[in-house]
Amino acid sequence: MIKIAVVDDEKHMREYILKRVKNITEKYNDIEIIPFADGEECIGAIEKENTFRIFLLDIGMKGMTGIDCGKVIKKKCPEGYIIFLTSYSEYAAASYVIEAYQYILKEDMEERLQDVLVRLMDQMQKKEKEYRLIGNTANVRKLYLSDIIYIYKEQRSKYIRYVTEQGEYRERISLGKLMEELDSEDFILVERGYLVNIKHIVSWDGNMLYLHDNKRVDISRDRSRHVKEYIHQYWRDKM
């Protein structure tokens, strides 16, 4: 399921956006759209159940602004997509600072919102198909590749572990075999036994990688140059 948050402190605008989003997404399955009257209410819902994927935020709200709300969302939902809606073009620079997916002036919403949402929904549904089934016939779990922060091999064991924000899961498979089956440019071997999802890399300092959810992984010295060059190129290609 893809959960969409609509956040606007003006009731008539919130209801209008809600109606537009429902019409745009009616062709997609498993969509839930939830309206919020302010940023605090939206953040409270995230803290109870962090399952939202798309956030449509009014910027000029009373109390917590859309920009401030977006900053919190980026920390709590790093894989979430923020679409800012505003009547004022001067907020555009601030939206870029927190890496919003899109910035739409309300006067252009009738024209632009459908194209932006359809492109994003198609992209997300494609991503939802990229998963790995782990477990046995009695207990199978679908693990989405985008949720994996990093993978490591247990010492003196035939198991590897998937580290996600929701917890750790293990599978009996060699790391080499897993890399062949993943066949994904999003994962890179940073040290013997450690495979990192580049999408979850926040920064690095020396040979230490800092990942989402306060995770950290060392880059081995012999792979340091290759790993950093690969990450740079990956980020450039995605810009």
Side-chain angles (χ1 to χ4, degrees):
M1 172 178 288
I2 296 177
K3 292 179 70 172
I4 303 174
V6 174
V7 190
D8 197 302
D9 60 351
E10 295 185 10
K11 183 179 179 181
H12 73 281
M13 180 57 71
R14 185 168 65 250
E15 291 176 347
Y16 169 74
I17 297 170
L18 187 65
K19 183 178 179 180
R20 288 285 294 131
V21 174
K22 284 181 177 178
N23 290 339
I24 293 169
T25 60
E26 63 181 357
K27 70 175 183 176
Y28 298 97
N29 297 321
D30 294 327
I31 304 296
E32 184 178 4
I33 309 164
I34 301 177
F36 297 100
D38 54 53
E40 290 90 345
E41 187 180 359
C42 177
I43 298 303
I46 293 172
E47 290 175 344
K48 290 180 181 178
E49 187 179 0
N50 191 351
T51 56
F52 289 90
R53 300 296 304 280
I54 300 175
F55 301 85
L56 287 92
L57 303 178
D58 175 36
I59 290 183
M61 295 186 288
K62 297 176 182 177
M64 176 181 278
T65 67
I67 296 295
D68 290 337
C69 184
K71 290 177 181 178
V72 177
I73 288 170
K74 272 296 181 182
K75 291 180 180 178
K76 294 183 177 294
C77 307
E79 289 296 303
Y81 296 88
I82 296 173
I83 299 173
F84 280 123
L85 305 173
T86 183
S87 301
Y88 307 101
S89 59
E90 58 263 32
Y91 287 115
S95 73
Y96 296 142
V97 169
I98 66 169
E99 299 178 346
Y101 178 76
Q102 279 289 345
Y103 175 95
I104 302 176
L105 288 173
K106 288 183 177 179
E107 64 186 52
D108 299 330
M109 187 160 45
E110 190 71 29
E111 177 183 346
R112 292 196 60 216
L113 185 58
Q114 178 164 337
D115 289 341
V116 169
L117 268 183
V118 167
R119 184 168 66 251
L120 178 55
M121 294 295 295
D122 288 345
Q123 175 184 330
M124 291 180 67
Q125 290 211 329
K126 179 182 178 181
K127 183 183 293 185
E128 292 292 317
K129 296 177 182 178
E130 298 176 349
Y131 60 86
R132 186 167 185 82
L133 295 177
I134 61 174
N136 51 46
T137 54
N139 183 18
V140 177
R141 173 180 291 274
K142 181 187 287 187
L143 195 60
Y144 291 105
L145 302 188
S146 60
D147 290 337
I148 300 171
I149 300 175
Y150 68 92
I151 302 165
Y152 70 95
K153 185 182 182 303
E154 296 180 356
Q155 291 186 355
R156 297 181 295 277
S157 170
K158 296 181 179 179
Y159 288 90
I160 62 98
R161 283 191 174 269
Y162 301 94
V163 178
T164 74
E165 292 183 7
Q166 294 73 40
E168 292 192 20
Y169 309 94
R170 72 176 192 170
E171 180 181 12
R172 185 167 178 167
I173 187 174
S174 71
L175 194 62
K177 178 65 173 175
L178 175 64
M179 290 172 65
E180 290 180 13
E181 293 183 2
L182 286 178
D183 189 27
S184 172
E185 64 178 8
D186 295 342
F187 290 87
I188 183 170
L189 189 70
V190 300
E191 187 177 356
R192 183 179 180 184
Y194 279 80
L195 197 62
V196 169
N197 187 341
I198 297 178
K199 292 182 178 179
H200 285 277
I201 296 174
V202 176
S203 63
W204 70 68
D205 183 7
N207 286 335
M208 178 68 72
L209 285 177
Y210 293 88
L211 314 174
H212 287 141
D213 200 33
N214 297 317
K215 307 294 186 186
R216 294 185 297 178
V217 173
D218 285 319
I219 310 173
S220 66
R221 289 186 178 182
D222 61 328
R223 294 191 58 80
S224 179
R225 181 175 178 179
H226 168 73
V227 169
K228 291 175 182 178
E229 288 178 351
Y230 187 92
I231 295 170
H232 266 305
Q233 187 60 50
Y234 179 94
W235 283 346
R236 281 196 296 265
D237 291 344
K238 298 299 180 183
M239 291 180 65

